[in-house]
Amino acid sequence: MSDVIWVALIEQVVPLITLVLLVVALVLLWDPIKGLAKRATKIGIAGVIEVSAEPLREAPDRPPVSERAVRTVEQRVARNHEQLMRSRVLWVDDQPENNRVERTYLRDLGVNVAVAASTDQTYALMGAVDPTVLITDLARPESPTAGRDMAEALAGERPDLPVIGYVGSLQAGTPAGFFGITNRPDELVHLLLDVAERQR
C-alpha cells in the first residue's frame, strides 16, 4: 500500500478508535458520573465540581438541618476543600448503616473514610488507615461507654488524634478525650473542617 492510502486509513481509524474508547469509558463510569452529577451544585472554573450538602438534610434519625445550614456547610467546604480532602477518617459505629448518608457525602468530597464496628476493630485498623480524625458513637454492644472509654484511652495513647463524638441524642458538655460532640450532620462537617484547619 502506498503512503497516501495509509495516511487516509489512519485519518479514518484514529477518530473511530477515540470514539469507541470514550463510549467504553462512559459506560464503565456511568454510575459514578450519574451519582456525582445528582449531587453537584455546579461545575466551577477548571472543572472543579462543588458537591451539594443537601443530602445531609436526609440523614435518618437526626435533627432537621435547615437550608441555611446546608448553604453554610457548602460555603465552608468550598473554602477549605483541599484541607478536608487530606483527612483520613476512621468512623466507629456498631450500626454503620445509620451514618451512610454522612459517609457518602464525605467520600463524595474526596475524604478517605474507613469504618470499624467495635473498639477492637478500631485498634486493628489504626495502622492501616493512619487516621487524622476518629468519629465514634458512645454506646456499643461491647459497653454502654465504649466510645467514651476509647476516646479517653486515645487521649493518652494518641494525643494528636482528634476524636469527634457523633451520637443519637446529645447531652450537655463535651466528654473528656473528645475534640467535639454532636448529633447534627451539618455540625459534624464543621467539626471535621475545624480539625482539618488545625492540621494544615
Side-chain angles (χ1 to χ4, degrees), residues 82-89 130-134 158-164 179 191-200:
E82 284 186 37
Q83 290 87 7
L84 189 61
M85 281 181 41
R86 292 188 201 116
S87 299
R88 293 179 306 280
V89 175
D130 188 26
T132 57
V133 61
L134 187 133
R158 297 262 322 255
D160 62 320
L161 179 63
V163 177
I164 297 172
F179 176 83
L191 286 168
L192 287 168
L193 285 161
D194 291 345
V195 167
E197 288 171 356
R198 286 174 172 82
Q199 293 176 338
R200 283 186 201 195

Side-chain angles (χ1 to χ4, degrees), residues 63-164:
V65 177
S66 71
E67 182 71 25
R68 183 170 186 244
V70 165
R71 298 302 154 242
T72 302
V73 166
E74 290 172 349
Q75 290 167 0
R76 189 161 178 218
V77 165
R79 286 192 310 269
N80 300 287
H81 189 240
E82 284 186 37
Q83 290 87 7
L84 189 61
M85 281 181 41
R86 292 188 201 116
S87 299
R88 293 179 306 280
V89 175
L90 181 51
W91 197 313
V92 189
D93 196 319
D94 60 301
Q95 298 178 323
E97 64 279 359
N98 292 346
N99 307 309
R100 183 187 49 79
V101 169
E102 296 90 328
R103 286 193 325 271
T104 300
Y105 175 67
L106 293 174
R107 287 178 176 141
D108 287 346
L109 291 172
V111 177
N112 183 341
V113 182
V115 179
S118 67
T119 300
D120 289 342
Q121 282 184 359
T122 301
Y123 280 104
L125 287 171
M126 280 284 191
V129 174
D130 188 26
T132 57
V133 61
L134 187 133
I135 300 172
T136 185
D137 57 358
L138 294 184
R140 294 192 283 278
E142 63 202 71
S143 164
T145 60
R148 189 174 306 212
D149 298 341
M150 184 178 59
E152 288 179 13
L154 286 171
E157 299 164 12
R158 297 262 322 255
D160 62 320
L161 179 63
V163 177
I164 297 172

